[in-house]
Structures are given as C-alpha cells and as structure tokens.
Amino acid sequence: MRAIADALDPKQTTAAVIMTADPATVSPDDEVAVVAVKMMRLGIRHLPVVDAKGSPIGLISASDLVAVLEGGKS
C-alpha cells in the first residue's frame, strides 16, 4: 500500500525502500492490554513480535487483539 501511495511501482520496488527501518516491537510475553496501548499510542495497526534475541517471529494486528478481547480465535 505504501508503494502505491508514494506513486512507486510495486512490481519494481523492494521492501527495503518502503519498510520501517527500526519498528516498534512486542515480545510474545507482553500482555494484550500492553500491546493494545502501544498500538493506540503509536497510531498503528500492526506490530512485529520478536524473540529475546530481537529476531522476528510473528506479526500481531489490531484485529487479532479484537478477536482475543471478544473471546474469539485469531
């Protein structure tokens, strides 16, 4: 989406050009409430989940949080 919004050709643009260089992250042990507050404070809908070494292991979205808070499955 960012490539299109910035009038870049998504077929020619690499992820390195549009990615966030040093994104905010969460750990698998962070509480849902902490993750939700972080997303709201930063005005974002997705956060990378990283392990203790800082390696990415997943991605959590606002819709994942809604599913948990509603008692559903993500």
Side-chain angles (χ1 to χ4, degrees):
M1 296 303 289
R2 184 181 294 175
I4 294 168
D6 290 344
L8 301 172
D9 181 352
K11 293 181 180 178
Q12 300 294 322
T13 305
T14 64
V17 172
I18 58 173
M19 71 182 198
T20 302
D22 188 22
T25 61
V26 293
S27 79
D29 299 323
D30 286 342
E31 294 182 17
V32 170
V34 170
V35 175
V37 167
K38 188 177 240 185
M39 283 183 176
M40 289 187 305
R41 184 174 44 84
L42 296 171
I44 58 177
R45 298 181 51 82
H46 298 87
L47 277 170
V49 181
V50 298
D51 63 17
K53 294 180 182 179
S55 297
I57 57 172
L59 184 72
I60 191 162
S61 70
S63 60
D64 293 331
L65 296 178
V66 169
V68 168
L69 294 171
E70 289 180 343
K73 296 180 183 178
S74 58

